[in-house]
Amino acid sequence: MANFLDRLWRKDKEEGVDQALEYGAALSFKCCQVEDNLMRLFFACDSRSTANDAELFQYMQQVSLLHRDEKHAVQDEVSLLKVYLRLIQNVTDEEVYIEFEELIDNKGLEVPALLLFPLVINAIQYGYNRMAERPVKIKVKTLGESLQLEVSNRANHRLTSQEHTETIDLLKARLTYFYPEGYSLICNSNSATFKATLLIKL
């Protein structure tokens, strides 16, 4: 996997790099469509309810109908993301603290399906999120024809870097595949906080 991901970021145009980029983009989508951390938590949770089961099945049905090259309204993406986060909170034995803010004034913008998920998944899976005073903070907003996503979490000191994960590497492939010159992804971290800011010109 490491060698495969290394190929994605070479600046030269060696034969096969474009195809590797496409494969990376497809894999990023598939990892969000069938999110293994959610599945592990769901089946390990002894306290989940029938309502939780029904919501997960409905969610899985929705995302199974999405295609990796399909775009949908930003508002639809945000709605799916909220369901995902609610499922995470409902099937985790310990409390998961999340703050979500949305400022979407351009209802006509569209985004590739599940493109906003990786930064959130990365924060849930690799950051600390069990303290009420240090929740995962998620902010989605539109800026004219652009979309901005900010995700921050308490830093995980067991990781060398929360930026250099497979989830983020594959996201970069998908972003480059759709918006080769039209996005920026900035990750900042210190001893207390990891923050990722994604800006896409749609």
Side-chain angles (χ1 to χ4, degrees):
M1 176 60 75
N3 290 337
F4 166 75
L5 294 173
D6 286 344
R7 293 177 59 202
L8 300 179
W9 314 124
R10 292 178 185 170
K11 293 183 179 180
D12 55 354
K13 294 295 184 181
E14 294 180 3
E15 183 178 358
V17 170
D18 289 343
Q19 188 177 42
L21 189 69
E22 183 178 357
Y23 288 161
L27 186 55
S28 177
F29 171 79
K30 187 58 66 176
C31 288
C32 296
Q33 191 177 41
V34 184
E35 210 280 280
D36 58 357
N37 185 53
L38 173 59
M39 295 298 102
R40 282 196 300 268
L41 291 171
F42 178 80
F43 289 111
C45 180
D46 295 325
S47 60
R48 72 178 194 266
S49 66
T50 302
N52 297 151
D53 293 357
E55 185 171 36
L56 177 69
F57 295 149
Q58 184 178 14
Y59 169 79
M60 292 302 298
Q61 183 180 33
Q62 283 183 280
V63 297
S64 70
L65 297 175
L66 300 175
H67 188 272
R68 69 186 188 190
D69 294 327
E70 170 186 293
K71 292 185 179 182
H72 59 183
V74 170
Q75 190 62 64
D76 292 339
E77 178 84 349
V78 169
S79 295
L80 272 178
L81 191 56
K82 286 180 176 179
V83 175
Y84 167 79
L85 291 169
R86 187 165 61 247
L87 285 167
I88 286 287
Q89 290 178 306
N90 288 341
V91 301
T92 305
D93 289 328
E94 295 182 64
E95 190 76 34
V96 175
Y97 294 94
I98 298 168
E99 287 185 8
F100 197 103
E101 181 180 0
E102 58 179 296
L103 299 168
I104 301 173
D105 56 8
N106 189 340
K107 305 296 184 181
L109 292 182
E110 294 188 336
V111 66
L114 307 183
L115 189 66
L116 302 187
F117 277 61
L119 289 184
V120 175
I121 291 171
N122 198 63
I124 296 295
Q125 188 165 357
Y126 298 111
Y128 288 118
N129 45 55
R130 306 302 171 89
M131 298 171 61
E133 63 271 23
R134 297 299 302 274
V136 175
K137 295 183 179 181
I138 303 164
K139 184 175 183 179
V140 185
K141 64 180 179 179
T142 55
L143 305 165
E145 297 299 313
S146 297
L147 175 69
Q148 182 173 298
L149 171 66
E150 296 178 357
V151 182
S152 63
N153 60 264
R154 185 187 180 202
N156 184 345
H157 301 295
R158 297 181 181 180
L159 286 182
T160 303
S161 172
Q162 197 177 321
E163 177 183 0
H164 299 295
T165 63
E166 183 177 298
T167 302
I168 298 296
D169 286 340
L170 292 174
L171 170 62
K172 290 177 181 177
R174 195 164 187 228
L175 287 167
T176 303
Y177 177 74
F178 278 103
Y179 307 103
E181 304 294 335
Y183 83 90
S184 67
L185 176 60
I186 300 173
C187 297
N188 295 301
S189 62
N190 54 39
S191 60
T193 304
F194 175 82
K195 181 178 180 179
T197 302
L198 172 63
L199 181 64
I200 310 172
K201 176 68 174 176
L202 301 176

